[in-house]
């Protein structure tokens, strides 16, 4: 039995040339910023912030992929694009004049905790999570080629 260690068995985004992989990091960061902004308020009014948990989960998964694909440079590009989308594009007002990331209701507002603070958690968490992942050991972000006797490389 021979083992097949071909790079063709890696995921599609890991097999691309470096400029394409870096573009994937930028685009995935922007997508995470946009989708996470839309999702982070789900459940906040009931004080069950499942949207914030889901938004942070996609930040973690996408950041892991960026670092495993391109190392610290990929993580940095992902962080820059996601932060840029969240802090500039999505932090403004929507087409109807509504805020996409509402923050600062004041202490007089009788609202659940996450209704008041989900926006702050999202704004700072989207920056803090990749910074924490930057400090984690490199071996946690390694994706070795599959070794499967029956696997066929993708072309």
């Amino acid at each position: 039995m021979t083992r097949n260690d071909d790079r063709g068995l890696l995921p599609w985004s890991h097999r691309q040339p470096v400029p394409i992989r870096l573009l994937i990091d930028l685009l995935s960061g922007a997508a995470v910023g946009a989708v996470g902004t839309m999702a982070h308020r789900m459940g906040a009014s009931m004080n069950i912030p499942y949207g914030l948990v889901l938004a942070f989960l996609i930040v973690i998964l996408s950041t892991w992929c960026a670092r495993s694909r391109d190392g610290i440079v990929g993580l940095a590009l992902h962080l820059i694009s996601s932060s840029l989308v969240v802090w500039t594009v999505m932090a403004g007002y929507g087409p109807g004049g509504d805020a996409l990331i509402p923050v600062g209701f004041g202490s007089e507002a009788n609202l659940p905790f996450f209704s008041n603070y989900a926006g702050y958690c999202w704004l700072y968490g989207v920056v803090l999570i990749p910074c924490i992942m930057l400090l984690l050991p490199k071996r946690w972000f390694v994706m070795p080629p599959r070794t499967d006797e029956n696997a066929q490389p993708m072309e």
Side-chain angles (χ1 to χ4, degrees):
M1 287 189 211
T2 62
R3 296 181 74 144
N4 190 356
D5 288 341
D6 193 358
R7 278 193 62 81
L9 296 174
L10 285 173
W12 173 83
S13 64
H14 291 251
R15 291 181 275 137
Q16 301 305 312
V18 172
I20 301 297
R21 290 195 324 245
L22 295 177
L23 180 64
I24 291 169
D25 295 332
L26 283 170
L27 293 176
S28 67
V32 162
V35 171
T37 298
M38 297 301 171
H40 84 279
R41 297 281 309 163
M42 292 189 302
S45 64
M46 297 172 288
N47 224 17
I48 305 171
Y50 62 89
L52 192 60
V53 171
L54 291 173
F56 285 155
L57 183 63
I58 64 170
V59 170
I60 290 168
L61 292 174
S62 185
T63 304
W64 185 91
C65 289
R67 183 157 178 203
S68 72
R69 185 173 33 247
D70 292 314
I72 292 176
V73 172
L75 186 143
L77 288 174
H78 186 275
L79 170 62
I80 290 167
S81 65
S82 64
S83 299
L84 194 65
V85 166
V86 169
W87 282 87
T88 61
V89 178
M90 303 304 271
Y93 293 100
D98 294 335
L100 296 174
I101 307 175
V103 294
F105 293 108
S107 60
E108 292 84 30
N110 190 14
L111 295 171
F113 178 82
F114 283 106
S115 283
N116 277 329
Y117 297 107
Y120 288 121
C121 292
W122 173 242
L123 284 171
Y124 296 119
V126 77
V127 175
L128 189 62
I129 289 172
C131 289
I132 290 170
M133 292 181 77
L134 182 65
L135 301 174
L136 297 176
K138 183 179 178 179
R139 68 180 179 272
W140 291 5
F141 300 92
V142 174
M143 183 177 290
R146 286 188 315 181
T147 54
D148 187 2
E149 294 83 21
N150 299 324
Q152 297 297 319
M154 302 288 291
E155 295 189 24

